[in-house]
Amino acid sequence: MDRTGIFAGDDPFAIARTWLAEAEPSEPNDPNAIALATVDAAGLPNVRMVLLKDIEADAFVFYTNYTSRKGQEIERSGKAAFVLHWKSLRRQIRVRGVTEREEGPKADEYYASRSLKSRLGAWASAQSQPLSSRAALMADVARITAIHGTNPARPAFWGGIRIRPLEIEFWADGAFRLHDRFRWSRSGTAEDWTILRLNP
């Protein structure tokens, strides 16, 4: 299989890290932004932009409020998908897989690294729930600040979601729309990868 150049390598996570690093100098905003897809109880899809925070040895990690719509949908299905797209590189990575929570020291460490306002905001926002006004939200932030001070602990309802892929597709723009696509797939997270070149 002619997997050379930007597609070369035996580790899809290493390839993903390389592509993300290559996008950082040229992508104007948030090169780690992913369009995250989930489904509700009726099977109706939802998609929204979130920030990918880590590419581990065998998983992708982002952080959220577990009581949010996406958090509840992921909890219910145990599955999620996303796409990383870089217009500047004319490349994208598509991922589908199974999920698990990251609620341990890694989540604590990431939460502590955020700005104080972001940490307090995580406490104050009942994410995805109806809100009467911006003023009501700011009042909640003030109340939370009075309760938790300048060093709030990570809320139990907020943490990481780890996506362990069953499928990763690397896509790069080609002349005359004859794009290059390679799909890595496996039947389970402990299984070996199968790699196929796909038609554009």
Side-chain angles (χ1 to χ4, degrees):
M1 184 181 297
D2 54 339
R3 236 175 7 91
T4 58
I6 62 172
F7 294 99
D10 297 322
D11 179 355
F13 301 95
I15 296 170
R17 281 190 291 271
T18 298
W19 283 26
L20 177 56
E22 289 173 355
E24 287 169 353
S26 59
E27 202 63 20
N29 291 301
D30 298 326
N32 61 327
I34 60 176
L36 175 73
T38 57
V39 294
D40 67 14
L44 190 65
N46 263 317
V47 66
R48 79 289 283 161
M49 303 304 295
V50 300
L51 296 180
L52 181 68
K53 289 300 180 180
D54 197 12
I55 302 176
E56 297 179 335
D58 197 41
F60 299 87
V61 182
F62 70 94
Y63 289 83
T64 192
N65 183 319
Y66 295 137
T67 66
S68 67
R69 179 173 285 190
K70 63 182 169 296
Q72 291 178 42
E73 290 176 354
I74 287 170
E75 184 69 21
R76 187 180 298 113
S77 72
K79 301 178 182 73
F82 70 81
V83 61
L84 267 164
H85 176 241
W86 302 291
K87 290 180 75 69
S88 60
L89 297 183
R90 298 180 179 270
R91 297 183 207 167
Q92 68 179 11
I93 301 174
R94 296 174 58 225
V95 172
R96 301 195 307 156
V98 295
T99 60
E100 62 185 43
R101 287 188 180 188
E102 171 49 73
E103 301 177 282
K106 278 192 172 184
D108 293 337
E109 181 181 346
Y110 173 64
Y111 180 79
S113 76
R114 304 176 89 213
S115 72
L116 175 59
K117 288 183 179 180
S118 293
R119 284 179 281 153
L120 293 168
W123 273 102
S125 173
Q127 195 174 89
S128 303
Q129 300 304 310
L131 177 65
S132 62
S133 68
R134 179 84 182 174
L137 176 61
M138 299 316 293
D140 282 342
V141 171
R143 180 179 54 81
I144 288 295
T145 302
I147 293 170
H148 292 284
T150 58
N151 191 25
R154 179 179 61 84
F157 57 79
W158 190 98
I161 300 286
R162 179 178 287 109
I163 301 174
R164 294 196 181 278
L166 299 176
E167 188 175 292
I168 305 175
E169 181 187 314
F170 296 92
W171 177 101
D173 184 60
F176 310 110
R177 297 194 180 275
L178 299 177
H179 313 304
D180 288 307
R181 297 173 63 188
F182 290 93
R183 184 178 65 205
W184 299 58
S185 59
R186 57 188 179 178
S187 57
T189 57
E191 303 301 317
D192 292 333
W193 292 103
T194 297
I195 308 168
L196 291 175
R197 177 185 270 278
L198 303 178
N199 271 281

